[in-house]
Amino acid sequence: MKKSLSARDEPGSGEVGDPGRRSFLTRAWLLLGAVASVEIVWLLTNFLRPRNPRADSLDQSELLVAGPIDRFPPNSVTAFPEGRFYLARIESGGFLAINRKCTHLGCTVPWIASEGKFVCPCHASAFDITGEVINPPAPRALDLHPVRIENGIVKVDLRKSLQRSAFEADQVTMA
Amino acid sequence: MPTTETPQASPNLARQIWQSILRTPISASTDRQRKRVVRDHIITHSRPIRVSAATLRYTHTWGLGGMSLVLVSMLMATGILLMFAYQPVPGGAYQSIVRLEQEVGFGQLVRNVHHWSANLLVFIVGLHLLRVFFTGAVQSPRQFNWIIGLCLLAGILLSNFTGYLLPWDQLSYWAITISTGMIGYIPGIGSALQNLIRGGSEIGSATLLLFYTIHTTVIPALLALGMALHFWRVRKAGGVVIPEQADEEFSGEIGHGPKKVLFVPNLLIREFSVGLILVAVVLLFSATIDAGLGDPANPGMSPNPAKAPWYFVGLQELLLHFHPTIAVLLVPLLAIGFLLAIPYLRFDSASTGIWFFSKRGRQIALWAAGLGVVTTLTWIVLDERLGNAGAWMTGVPPIVSGGIIPLFLWGVAITAGYRIVNRKYARCNNESIQGLFAFLFTVFVTLTVIGVWFRGTGMSLTLPWSS
């Protein structure tokens, strides 16, 4: 809705200060201002965007070598603090690399060997040896890292993190 | 050759210099001088020359806004001092604080003042919000100032939050872990937002630097601008809200509005006293009780329990009773929406400037507050006993059984309660809206109190005095 600023009512009359030219210039300025604002926001978000998601953690250029298969008996859980995960070997002999971050709010979940489960100290979520939720409030099973077995050596790819809602048999890597 | 040099050359020069700095004297003994003090000095220049006599009473505003300004100033001063000692990197942060406390002269005191002022500020600002609302200072021409105030509140909470991480001890690290963990439950953008706030997927050096910059630079700058705007709007509205006067004492001459008195000394001396007493209280407290520093942050070990900072604990408590998306997204959005809408509600009557609007309004508000406490406690205890009550609704997704349905029930109860009060008890909706506000506020306070003192190991309900 344009309002004439001058007394003249006819735009485009060609006189000095005619409303047509003034309102055009005003709108041009506003448009440029809007474009500038968008550019600044774009610049700021790019500047502040997190760089490499793992920039501040360990150098994950290689797979983490966990050890030879025989070092991990079935039904055991071995902690790898430097990789922030647990290597679980379930009864069938298969391996799971379980991320230690609780899926509720992110606390570090310890493995309680005497009870045979992961119990989160923050809000008492509990998970079994496969990382499946036994006790809420955790909404889903613990995340996994892909496990590779090469020449009898168990290796874990920490660059990838797999979210899952529950345990499925095909998540296990067989020896 | 200066032949006109008088024997009193020195005192003349000194007086000249003094008078060039203070062109109007600071001390005033006549009314004319008092007015000039306000007009001609930068610190008092933003104040009015006259104020309404009816607003001088301490219990009208309790000086809460002024206290907030004093606390913010103390925070900025101590904050700047702390910046000389603190190192914003995970490897050095904790040690720099230990060194500050043990080796820097008055280091512990400065840190304590900073810590206690910050916590007290959240409390005082909350009380200020209550005062503004319950004296009806939200209607025109103060509507937008309420919004500005809410923005300031957001800035203060964010400042507290970012500051909480800086000591990099176990408390800091895990409080921020779970608080930012809550953000992950926002559907769609949650994950990206969480990474943006953390500066990465984990809490680390990027997070610390981000929080440090926001805490020391961005927020103080925004707060300064916001406060300037906030005070300006108070001036434009004619000062604080003026209480309706039934008696003659504060009435001005007929047709001239409420009686006014000079700012100097009437309001100045009152403000100065409150400010000074506040500074004294904070200093005494800080000299006695330390801010506290836990064990250095250990990403491998979460403490039990791990709680968010106290002003967010109410939200964490809500998370224990509702589906995460409801607790983290819907309820906060509704709460913020309600707060933003308050100045623009259709009030039946103009503000009276009197606390709680009227005697009936006070009764309704108090009853509503009591009801808020009782219903919240009942809900919390029932939820603990019944456990996963939504489990019997087989086939229904948890977001509905544990989220939408209970939220809907609460919504129905609150709406019905409001309608009943508005129709049967209140004389105008100012009183019922106050009741609604009082109810919701006490619900939030109760959640916070439970979360702070009644949640122990594993976040189970425990009495605070049982170990």
Side-chain angles (χ1 to χ4, degrees), chain A residues 48-51 53 56 84 100-101 103-109 121-124 137 139, chain B residues 174 177-178 181-182 185 195-196 199-202 204-205 299-300 302 304 306 316 458-459:
Chain A
L48 293 171
R49 178 171 295 147
R51 298 150 255 155
D56 51 272
R84 298 183 236 192
R100 72 180 186 186
K101 226 169 28 153
T103 50
H104 179 226
L105 287 176
C107 290
T108 293
V109 191
C122 291
H123 306 92
Chain B
W174 293 106
T177 300
I178 61 166
M182 291 197 234
Y185 284 109
N195 285 0
L196 184 68
S201 57
E202 307 272 326
S205 59
S302 307
N304 187 352
Q316 195 181 352
M459 294 299 275

